[in-house]
Amino acid sequence: MANLTDIDTILEVKNLKTYFTTETGVMKAVDDVSFKLKRGETLGIVGESGSGKSVTSLSIMRLISSPPGKIEGGEILFNSPNFGVIDLVQIPEADMQVVRGNDIAMIFQEPMTSLNPVYTCGNQVMEAIILHQKVSKEEAKRKTIDLFIKVLLPRPEAIFDSYPHQISGGQKQRVMIAMALSCNPSVLIADEPTTALDVTVQSTIIEMLRKLRDEDDMSIIFITHDLGVIAEIADRVMVMYQGKVVEEGPIYDLFDNPKHPYTKGLLACRPRLDFKLKRLPVVSDFMDTNKQGVVTEKKKEDRKYNSLGEAIIMNYVSDEEIAIHNEKLHQKAPNLVVKNLKTYFPIKKGIFGKIVDYVKAVDDVSFEVYPGETIGLVGESGCGKTTLGRTILRLVEPTSGEIEFEGRNINGLKADELRMLRKDMQIIFQDPYSSLNPRITIGEAIIEPMRIHGIYDSDFARKRHAVELLETVNLTKNHYQRYPFEFSGGQRQRICIARALALKPRFIICDESVSALDVSVQAQVLNLLNKLKEDFGFTYIFISHDLSVVKFMSDRIIVMNKGIIEEIGYAQDIYLNPKKEYTKQLIEAIPKGDLEDIHKAQLKRLQARELKNLA
């Protein structure tokens, strides 16, 4: 008979080991992991990609594909309303199907791949209700619409009949949450439920999960790579690295006094909102890892920083330094001038494709960019920022307006003239994997644009320059002959940066180039972009939905909403004194992870519990 350690515990994982057999050997994805989850508690599991956090959650759900994966040992004890205390590793699959979805539910990271594209959202939630609760279709539909209202979906009846591709990313995530809540689970596992969502949507979903937890006394395991998000919702935090738990404790204690060097690195590498840093500290500033994967704190003589506070002090930029820098930037003439730019997309209806209206993606936008400046372009999904970036490069044709680059109007350039302009104006796309041809080596991907534009006289010289570029972005010549699938997300983004540099451009647009990266890898890429700007004198337009990242990177910020510019100003001024309500909402939605905010959240949580107990 399985036994839990104490009566308040609803889930206890003991010495869990989940291994994967690969061509190169056995990968210990989860290696001797133990933790407890109490009733009504939120446990945050944080770590980078490959740390084992998602495999831990899939092991709890018994969703590990065998082969190649297998739970090799340990216990997962769960206090089930239907079976009592059971070991999820040992129970038959038929019993596990009752537990899965009914008692323990999971919200997966990518809702688009989790939802079936050929069924409506309502039917997919109804299916889960009918399967587990054995109710009629009419009752299941009523429950589904009630759930859509509960998770704050607009127009719940319309979304019931909508297909996944017809709704936004945030709405798809809420449909997934409704599906997970459909059977009133005791435990909800949320695996990166807010990654790549706008900060405002992220804030809404976190608040919604908090409310559902407190109302239903539900236990939550919240998985993310971002400690700032964890600070918004968790009671306790477990930090994972290479399949092992390296630190665990109450949320306030972990932020106030992190013990493990990996935790210190994760906390340090988040962009700051309260002041400007020259460089973001990274995980490798605090720890070393040997060939066996054993983590040790850096020796005193090798440390760049002795503490988080020292890392901040050594990279702090004063207001006077920022003012002098801004004044110098604007002494030159602008190298990009955008005047009254409009990019409209027609809405067509009927068999003859009659134009009935237009989507005004960019609507009468004007601004200037100065040599060596970084302009941050921020706003929610659909605000027009990506369309603006692509219109400037003529990857999307403008409807009207003017675009001048270094005194030359590029609107009327012909194809061959535009191709020549590509040498000077480059773009780094959001998804590095889809930007690279999977069938050619990364060396060939970097050489190809040089060959097209006739840079260097021979492939030998081009290869030498490609190797130099790989080393510039902290890769090596040994990577030259490898294919894109052999690299991590952060490494692929570096490759895309190297390819953009191959033509020696003067102007680069970074379109959500770090949005899908771990915070530690994100910090490395942001530092690299700033160093390249300093070394080569680039001008950047940096596009992101994350205002904290934009603030770190930018000299000035443009806030966009529904195709228009809400406001434009210096980064510090926009953050400290936003003039528009929309900008204020973006700033308020950013997860800050400050000790004061964590303390307030915990007090609020205690008050909610006391009120519930009194009721």
Side-chain angles (χ1 to χ4, degrees):
M1 177 72 179
N3 288 305
L4 291 166
T5 304
D6 57 69
I7 196 166
D8 291 330
T9 301
I10 191 166
L11 182 75
E12 183 170 2
V13 175
K14 294 183 178 181
N15 310 110
L16 179 65
K17 297 177 181 179
T18 304
Y19 297 169
F20 289 81
T21 304
T22 67
E23 291 179 1
T24 56
V26 175
M27 184 185 74
K28 298 180 178 180
V30 177
D31 193 15
D32 201 22
V33 164
S34 300
F35 64 89
K36 298 176 187 175
L37 179 68
K38 294 185 177 181
R39 295 179 189 277
E41 179 186 50
T42 300
L43 172 68
I45 302 181
V46 71
E48 299 170 281
S49 297
S51 63
K53 56 190 189 298
S54 290
V55 177
T56 300
S57 66
L58 292 171
S59 299
I60 293 169
M61 297 291 287
R62 280 260 297 270
L63 292 174
I64 300 295
S65 298
S66 179
K70 187 180 178 184
I71 297 176
E72 295 286 354
E75 297 175 289
I76 304 172
L77 305 181
F78 174 60
N79 194 349
S80 167
N82 295 299
F83 301 104
V85 178
I86 51 175
D87 184 356
L88 300 182
V89 176
Q90 301 296 334
I91 63 171
E93 179 58 26
D95 291 347
M96 190 64 211
Q97 285 181 7
V98 175
V99 172
R100 193 188 296 130
N102 210 22
D103 300 333
I104 305 177
M106 187 166 179
I107 306 165
F108 293 95
Q109 180 173 352
E110 180 44 68
M112 194 62 210
T113 57
S114 304
L115 293 169
N116 192 324
V118 301
Y119 290 101
T120 65
C121 296
N123 277 330
Q124 294 185 62
V125 178
M126 273 179 61
E127 183 184 25
I129 293 171
I130 292 168
L131 178 67
H132 287 284
Q133 298 184 26
K134 313 296 184 192
V135 297
S136 67
K137 284 188 176 181
E138 291 74 17
E139 179 65 9
K141 181 174 181 178
R142 187 189 63 76
K143 284 177 176 271
T144 299
I145 290 174
D146 286 346
L147 282 166
F148 283 0
I149 294 168
K150 191 172 185 177
V151 299
L152 307 177
L153 274 167
R155 302 173 295 105
E157 289 85 1
I159 287 179
F160 182 93
D161 293 320
S162 299
Y163 290 89
H165 72 274
Q166 295 176 305
I167 60 177
S168 71
Q171 289 171 343
K172 282 194 279 280
Q173 196 62 280
R174 291 184 209 194
V175 170
M176 286 296 299
I177 294 170
M179 191 183 297
L181 297 174
S182 61
C183 298
N184 300 314
S186 306
V187 175
L188 178 66
I189 300 173
D191 185 8
E192 299 270 14
T194 60
T195 299
L197 294 179
D198 295 327
V199 286
T200 48
V201 179
Q202 173 180 272
S203 176
T204 303
I205 286 175
I206 289 172
E207 180 58 37
M208 184 177 63
L209 287 173
R210 274 198 298 245
K211 187 178 177 184
L212 293 170
R213 173 198 63 192
D214 295 340
E215 286 178 353
D216 302 337
D217 204 29
M218 185 170 57
S219 302
I220 298 177
I221 295 175
F222 193 97
I223 298 168
T224 183
H225 62 264
D226 189 344
L227 275 164
V229 174
I230 281 287
E232 297 282 304
I233 192 168
D235 300 307
R236 283 188 308 117
V237 184
M238 184 173 84
V239 182
M240 291 188 71
Y241 181 74
Q242 293 189 352
K244 294 181 179 292
V245 177
V246 296
E247 186 164 0
E248 183 182 357
I251 181 75
Y252 188 90
D253 294 350
L254 187 129
F255 272 73
D256 183 41
N257 186 26
K259 301 288 192 299
H260 197 275
Y262 179 64
T263 312
K264 292 176 184 177
L266 285 181
L267 284 167
C269 67
R270 294 179 302 125
R272 304 286 306 201
L273 283 164
D274 41 359
F275 45 76
K276 177 94 171 170
L277 295 178
K278 295 173 195 160
R279 172 188 177 273
L280 290 174
V282 295
V283 170
S284 59
D285 292 335
F286 295 87
M287 72 179 204
D288 288 320
T289 309
N290 64 19
K291 290 180 180 178
Q292 289 73 42
V294 177
V295 176
T296 56
E297 194 155 11
K298 275 190 179 291
K299 294 177 183 176
K300 195 166 185 179
E301 60 271 20
D302 296 331
R303 284 183 208 161
K304 188 170 283 189
Y305 317 112
N306 289 312
S307 66
L308 293 178
E310 189 174 301
I312 290 166
I313 290 167
M314 288 178 68
N315 288 289
Y316 176 75
V317 183
S318 69
D319 292 342
E320 290 78 10
E321 289 175 291
I322 294 170
I324 292 167
H325 171 75
N326 290 337
E327 189 177 342
K328 283 181 180 177
L329 275 177
H330 297 159
Q331 288 174 351
K332 303 172 186 175
N335 60 352
L336 179 74
V337 179
V338 176
K339 295 179 183 176
N340 308 112
L341 190 64
K342 297 179 181 180
T343 306
Y344 295 174
F345 297 105
I347 299 170
K348 298 178 180 180
K349 283 189 177 179
I351 58 173
F352 298 109
K354 182 182 177 183
I355 296 173
V356 295
D357 203 352
Y358 289 90
V359 174
K360 298 179 179 180
V362 178
D363 194 14
D364 200 21
V365 164
S366 301
F367 64 95
E368 299 172 341
V369 186
Y370 292 83
E373 184 179 33
T374 298
I375 282 276
L377 198 52
V378 71
E380 297 174 287
S381 297
C383 71
K385 56 188 187 295
T386 292
T387 302
L388 175 57
R390 295 187 180 206
T391 304
I392 289 168
L393 294 180
R394 290 272 307 275
L395 296 174
V396 174
E397 288 299 324
T399 303
S400 65
E402 294 180 19
I403 307 162
E404 290 181 9
F405 178 65
E406 296 182 346
R408 185 183 186 188
N409 191 327
I410 67 173
N411 289 52
L413 294 183
K414 296 177 182 177
D416 55 341
E417 294 175 309
L418 201 56
R419 191 178 300 113
M420 291 303 296
L421 187 72
R422 299 274 185 252
K423 287 190 343 185
D424 301 323
M425 302 177 79
Q426 283 286 299
I427 185 167
I428 303 166
F429 293 101
Q430 177 174 357
D431 183 358
Y433 195 73
S434 62
S435 305
L436 295 167
N437 188 331
R439 300 169 71 180
I440 65 173
T441 64
I442 60 120
E444 183 62 26
I446 296 170
I447 279 180
E448 184 181 34
M450 288 192 271
R451 195 181 288 135
I452 290 169
H453 287 277
I455 294 176
Y456 297 108
D457 297 328
S458 65
D459 275 357
F460 176 80
R462 293 178 190 117
K463 180 177 179 180
R464 185 174 60 193
H465 184 53
V467 169
E468 288 172 0
L469 288 171
L470 287 173
E471 290 172 347
T472 299
V473 298
N474 299 325
L475 296 171
T476 70
K477 63 180 180 181
N478 296 328
H479 293 125
Y480 183 90
Q481 294 293 348
R482 296 187 187 177
Y483 289 86
F485 74 88
E486 298 180 80
F487 296 90
S488 69
Q491 288 174 321
R492 282 196 289 266
Q493 197 59 279
R494 291 168 189 271
I495 293 162
C496 289
I497 293 169
R499 187 179 59 178
L501 298 180
L503 299 179
K504 302 178 182 177
R506 296 189 294 276
F507 181 89
I508 298 177
I509 293 178
C510 303
D511 184 11
E512 297 276 13
S513 52
V514 297
S515 63
L517 300 178
D518 291 329
V519 284
S520 54
V521 179
Q522 174 182 276
Q524 294 169 22
V525 173
L526 294 177
N527 288 338
L528 172 64
L529 288 169
N530 275 338
K531 185 177 185 304
L532 292 170
K533 176 185 167 183
E534 190 177 315
D535 293 346
F536 298 103
F538 293 138
T539 303
Y540 287 138
I541 289 182
F542 192 90
I543 300 170
S544 179
H545 62 264
D546 188 339
L547 190 57
S548 59
V549 170
V550 169
K551 183 178 178 293
F552 168 72
M553 287 294 294
S554 305
D555 301 304
R556 287 187 298 148
I557 292 175
I558 295 173
V559 182
M560 282 193 74
N561 182 26
K562 296 178 182 177
I564 65 169
I565 292 178
E566 285 279 345
E567 62 180 299
I568 181 169
Y570 289 115
Q572 200 77 348
D573 295 341
I574 289 282
Y575 177 69
L576 293 175
N577 188 28
K579 293 180 173 56
K580 296 294 183 74
E581 189 60 36
Y582 178 74
T583 311
K584 291 175 185 176
Q585 289 171 6
L586 283 181
I587 292 168
E588 286 169 4
I590 301 168
K592 298 173 181 64
D594 295 332
L595 288 173
E596 185 180 346
D597 289 338
I598 294 169
H599 185 59
K600 286 178 182 175
Q602 293 300 303
L603 285 175
K604 189 177 177 182
R605 177 103 162 87
L606 288 170
Q607 287 169 357
R609 279 179 182 167
E610 287 172 5
L611 287 171
K612 189 174 181 181
N613 290 335
L614 286 171

